[in-house]
Amino acid sequence: MTNRQFSSAPVTLLVAGAPAPAPCLPAPRPPGPLDPAAVRAALARTAPRARVQVRVHRAVAERPGPRLPEFLLVELHRVHRPEVLRTALRAVAPASAADLLWRRTVTGPAALDGLLAELGRSLAAGAPLRAVLVTELREPPGGPRDRRRLFVGIAPGPPGHAARLLAELREALAHPPEPVTVPTSALQRELLRDVLGRPDHGGRHIEQLSWNWHGPLDTERFTAAWQAVFDHETVLRAAFDWAPDGSGEPWTVLHERAVPEVTRHPHGSVGWDQLLAADRLRGFDLRRPALLRATLLDAPQPADEGPVTRVLLTYHHAMLDGWSVRLLLQSFYRAYLGGGVLPGGERRPDLRDHARWLAAQPTDAAEQFWSTRPDPAALLPLAPDPRRRGSGRARRRLSPYEAVRLRGWAAAWGAGESTALQAAWALLLYRAALSDRPRRPARPVRVGFAVTVSGRGIPLESVDRLPGALRTPLPISVRVHPGATVPQLLGTLRDTVLDLSSYEWVSPGQVERFGPGGRGRRPNSLVVLEHQPMTAHQLRLETDLAAHGIHVESPVPAGTLTSYPITLAAHYDATGGLVLTATHDRALLADQDAAELLSQSAHLLRSFPDLPSGLSTTEVLRSTLAGQPAPRPGAAASPDGGPSTVRLDVLCRATRPGAGWVLLLPPPGAPHTGYPGTARTWPGPQALGVLRPGTEDTPPGAYRPVLGPLLATDAPVALLAPPGRGLTAYEIARLGAGGRPPLVVLLAADADPAALAAPLEEVDRWAVPLD
């Protein structure tokens, strides 16, 4: 047996040092001054085989400082799981609003003495019972001598008070209550089926938000603030469970306690991109609560500014969505400002209320609605290749000026920027559907893709303040007509998405089952615009943080790998720019194809505000994407898996319709970024582009998909060939011999292509007959 005398802690300590199958609890007796002989007898009855030695120590009156009332302290040698112990403590003392269980780490006897004194002060403040789970660190740190000890303190009370609480605690620990379970939603079950049993999930459905924290950041206070949020939010203490054999449906388990994971890395210890990727691939143990964690990375401090910390929140979409995490952030900031304390009780409604609402919804109307929706005739073409692995990510950005113009243009037609994003994607799918019939008349095509809805447009009180996995991807199909205008396409898309508002609670799997014949056609691309919930408290929170010298930027999503082959997501950055992110599955779509789709989407969004309102869909595609390859990834891969296509990089757009094209051929062995200065000095009016082959030995026939749409118009086209590419330019020009071939211009080694803009404009007819 071991026992100690805590000379610096004004407590009465009872310690039974021998491990026992049940908690070592003293015999029933009223609290108050303790008789050492009675204590020995009580401990002997509790652990009869242990040699019991007890020393009772009381605070000395002459000792400086306030004297604390005596309290009973018991060490439990069987350390229960924290959630089991917390449940038992709350069953014994349900009226206590304070935290009943602490978790502390100490080093050395002095630190433990101070912690037990702190426990005594807490009990003196009115808590009837409280426990502390102590991890004692020894030398060397993390060695085998580290141990966990559990102390339970009981405040003085009437006769029999301590005995009753100890008996109730023993009973609660011996028969812990069954955990509270909640049915999972259809969306959650589909997300879980996508990752369960797949060790190679690759970070699927793992979402991340990051931002910069300017000013001081106290890690302990940061952790305590998140702990307060965890204690108030049921969803953060929830986890999933399922039958070991995989039968049946998974369910949600609500735990009494969850501890946030907060990790801080010093500057230079890890790269930001490396940290993002590693934290995403790490995933979560879905059976354990706290499916959200925080990572801090110290950034280099500017000379004239305060400290900067990069904050990363990683969470699982089966439990939370982006809207939810932004709501939780507002609670976190309030807790941080309050020193790690968040007033009030648990948030309601929570996921239990949402589950009850879902269970009460009949599916007849939803089934009738989706069974009458037409299936799309055209989806995004894919290029499956099992040799490619992992996920890819690409980004493009519209400047704040371009984003404002796009938002104003869409608003003038009664739509939002999300509808404009959907219109750009629909045009790309339409163009892909017609790319296999270039010489046939354009025809209407019904294209399909998925869009996200918030899932909060349901008649549930305060659902906009409910954190959970509510954001849902739902399929839409729209008929794109070659003679319709882009504003008409905007209106059609807006109305189509509005039709979904009554069925935001339906999952993609349910929609597929509700489809015509019970087997709807599932889209293979997803379009997302990240929304941030705005509250009246947000500005006040920013002001209060600024009073502490803290400025926090708006969170930025890192892009999510979903079950769709490609996801096109948009969000606004801190400067007001619109950032487009394409996240794709490499096994289904090559990086080059995904990047090309993203670039063309951004190009269309920049072009929309400049388009005449009466321009038809065909004319829009011809004027904005002429020369750029249509999204036909399935036909773009060469037999050996390497790139065999030619892409047109547009450096400068034409200043007037019909001005024509000037196309540059890169010199042999030139880097991909050739002609960087020409774009800055190009006077126009022709559009300026660079024809970039996939490889050095790309055959001339590979240029046909790019040049064909340009040569089919009345606008002139010129090829500028540097030394060493003249023969290639001649062979490329012969591709247009049946129609209107381009003009070939041979450049000298030191020639400036920008100087040829004016002479080329004066040429009446660029094409010359070819033998």
Side-chain angles (χ1 to χ4, degrees):
M1 192 207 79
T2 61
N3 65 84
R4 286 196 49 207
Q5 176 182 354
F6 292 85
S7 58
S8 61
V11 298
T12 300
L13 180 69
L14 307 182
V15 177
C24 297
L25 300 177
R29 55 161 300 134
L34 300 177
D35 180 4
V39 172
R40 288 192 191 92
L43 292 178
R45 288 193 296 271
T46 304
R49 297 183 181 181
R51 182 183 178 186
V52 180
Q53 293 184 359
V54 176
R55 301 186 65 174
V56 177
H57 176 78
R58 296 181 176 85
V60 181
E62 300 81 45
R63 184 168 296 158
R67 177 167 178 169
L68 299 178
E70 187 177 78
F71 69 94
L72 186 66
L73 187 68
V74 181
E75 182 177 7
L76 304 184
H77 287 275
R78 195 175 81 184
V79 180
H80 299 265
R81 287 181 296 136
E83 57 268 22
V84 172
L85 181 64
R86 175 172 291 276
T87 301
L89 291 171
R90 287 190 174 179
V92 173
S96 177
D99 188 7
L100 295 174
L101 176 65
W102 296 347
R103 301 184 72 175
R104 299 288 191 270
T105 301
V106 299
T107 303
L112 182 59
D113 290 356
L115 176 59
L116 295 178
E118 183 184 354
L119 181 63
R121 296 187 190 95
S122 175
L123 293 169
L129 178 139
R130 181 161 291 183
V132 56
L133 180 58
V134 182
T135 300
E136 291 184 272
L137 300 183
R138 305 297 182 86
E139 294 295 337
R145 296 186 61 190
D146 293 356
R147 62 172 176 164
R148 298 172 70 194
R149 304 176 67 181
L150 179 61
F151 298 95
V152 178
I154 303 175
H161 167 73
R164 177 179 59 81
L165 288 181
L166 291 176
E168 293 177 358
L169 181 60
R170 184 198 299 272
E171 180 66 19
L173 289 174
H175 303 91
E178 292 293 327
V180 178
T181 60
V182 177
T184 52
S185 67
L187 173 65
Q188 288 178 309
R189 292 192 292 270
E190 292 166 20
L191 294 176
L192 291 173
R193 279 197 295 267
D194 202 30
V195 296
L196 291 182
R198 292 185 56 179
D200 59 338
H201 60 83
R204 193 179 301 274
H205 303 303
I206 304 295
E207 302 196 15
Q208 295 173 307
L209 283 179
S210 64
W211 68 97
N212 288 333
W213 177 299
H214 300 267
L217 193 156
D218 186 333
T219 307
E220 184 175 353
R221 187 173 183 174
F222 187 95
T223 305
W226 272 118
Q227 183 64 73
V229 178
F230 272 55
D231 292 340
H232 283 71
E233 300 289 351
T234 309
V235 69
L236 293 179
R237 304 193 305 274
F240 297 106
D241 205 354
W242 51 89
D245 59 358
S247 62
E249 300 289 358
W251 60 90
T252 304
V253 182
L254 306 185
H255 296 259
E256 286 287 332
R257 174 73 168 177
V259 179
E261 179 183 341
V262 178
T263 307
R264 188 162 191 168
H265 299 279
H267 171 60
S269 60
V270 63
W272 179 249
D273 293 337
Q274 177 186 0
L275 179 63
L276 282 174
D279 203 52
R280 180 188 297 275
L281 292 176
R282 174 186 167 191
F284 287 93
D285 182 354
L286 297 176
R287 292 182 184 268
R288 302 185 63 180
L291 300 183
L292 177 147
R293 59 175 174 261
T295 307
L296 309 175
L297 177 62
D298 295 328
Q301 181 173 343
D304 55 344
E305 299 181 13
V308 179
T309 308
R310 304 194 76 172
V311 184
L312 173 66
L313 288 183
T314 304
Y315 55 97
H316 203 287
H317 183 48
M319 190 65 74
L320 294 164
D321 55 24
W323 182 287
S324 304
V325 176
R326 288 177 171 89
L327 288 176
L328 298 175
L329 268 178
Q330 296 173 14
S331 299
F332 162 75
Y333 288 139
R334 290 199 300 271
Y336 190 88
L337 290 169
V341 177
L342 192 61
E346 289 188 346
R347 184 198 299 270
R348 299 303 290 265
D350 63 3
L351 72 171
R352 291 169 290 187
D353 304 291
H354 184 251
R356 280 193 290 268
W357 186 90
L358 284 177
Q361 300 311 303
T363 60
D364 298 344
E367 187 171 355
Q368 181 180 3
F369 172 82
W370 290 108
S371 64
T372 58
R373 299 295 96 181
D375 272 351
L379 303 176
L380 178 70
L382 300 175
D385 188 344
R387 293 172 295 181
R388 300 192 300 258
R389 296 182 180 275
S391 62
R393 186 173 289 105
R395 282 197 168 181
R396 300 292 184 271
R397 180 178 181 271
L398 272 65
S399 68
Y401 172 72
E402 292 170 333
V404 168
R405 292 186 70 228
L406 176 66
R407 188 162 59 247
W409 170 81
W413 297 106
E417 57 268 47
S418 61
T419 310
L421 184 65
Q422 295 161 13
W425 195 250
L427 288 175
L428 291 179
L429 298 185
Y430 172 73
R431 186 167 177 251
L434 298 181
S435 62
D436 59 347
R437 40 181 295 166
R439 300 191 182 279
R440 298 180 185 178
R443 55 181 175 84
V445 176
R446 181 170 291 278
V447 300
F449 54 95
V451 299
T452 56
V453 293
S454 68
R456 291 168 171 83
I458 59 176
L460 177 62
E461 184 179 0
S462 301
V463 68
D464 59 321
R465 302 289 301 169
L466 191 158
L470 277 68
R471 189 185 70 184
T472 308
L474 293 178
I476 64 171
S477 64
V478 60
R479 188 179 180 88
V480 182
H481 196 282
T485 64
V486 173
Q488 289 173 331
L489 178 60
L490 282 179
T492 303
L493 285 165
R494 177 200 59 209
D495 296 342
T496 301
V497 175
L498 284 176
D499 289 341
L500 307 181
S501 59
S502 299
Y503 308 100
E504 292 190 6
W505 50 274
V506 178
S507 72
Q510 288 176 313
V511 172
E512 193 171 352
R513 292 193 299 272
F514 296 161
R519 294 182 59 186
R521 191 177 183 192
R522 188 173 184 180
N524 53 13
S525 59
L526 173 66
V527 179
V528 183
L529 177 63
E530 296 282 353
H531 292 282
Q532 180 169 348
M534 300 297 294
T535 66
H537 304 290
Q538 187 167 347
L539 182 60
R540 183 167 60 85
L541 285 173
E542 294 178 358
T543 304
D544 293 343
L545 288 169
H548 290 75
I550 299 172
H551 167 66
V552 291
E553 298 178 1
S554 298
V556 174
T560 307
L561 180 62
T562 67
S563 57
Y564 294 86
I566 183 169
T567 299
L568 176 64
H571 71 270
Y572 286 98
D573 60 17
T575 65
L578 186 63
V579 181
L580 306 179
T581 304
T583 309
H584 65 283
D585 187 343
R586 286 195 172 109
L588 300 174
L589 199 65
D591 291 346
Q592 181 181 1
D593 298 325
E596 185 65 42
L597 287 166
L598 181 62
S599 297
Q600 294 182 18
S601 300
H603 185 58
L604 283 171
L605 294 176
R606 293 189 183 100
S607 304
F608 281 164
D610 296 325
L611 296 176
S613 59
L615 211 60
S616 69
T617 298
T618 304
E619 294 170 329
V620 168
L621 293 174
R622 184 177 297 169
S623 61
T624 57
L625 298 180
Q628 301 189 40
R632 296 291 301 175
S638 62
D640 60 355
S644 63
T645 58
V646 176
R647 60 176 294 171
L648 171 61
D649 287 349
V650 181
L651 304 181
C652 293
R653 288 180 287 180
T655 58
R656 57 176 174 80
W661 287 83
V662 175
L663 304 177
L664 301 168
L665 294 177
H672 183 73
T673 56
Y675 301 107
T678 304
R680 294 192 297 267
T681 59
W682 183 251
Q686 308 93 340
L688 178 67
V690 181
L691 293 173
R692 300 195 185 277
T695 60
E696 287 293 332
D697 56 351
T698 298
Y703 290 80
R704 187 184 301 275
V706 178
L707 285 177
L710 300 183
L711 299 177
T713 66
D714 295 332
V717 178
L719 287 177
L720 272 60
R725 300 303 294 270
L727 182 59
T728 301
Y730 176 78
E731 293 295 334
I732 294 173
R734 291 180 62 90
L735 296 174
R740 181 191 177 108
L743 175 68
V744 176
V745 179
L746 301 180
L747 298 177
D750 56 350
D752 181 9
L756 297 176
L760 289 175
E761 188 180 7
E762 300 300 326
V763 177
D764 292 333
R765 184 173 182 83
W766 289 5
V768 294
L770 296 175
D771 296 333

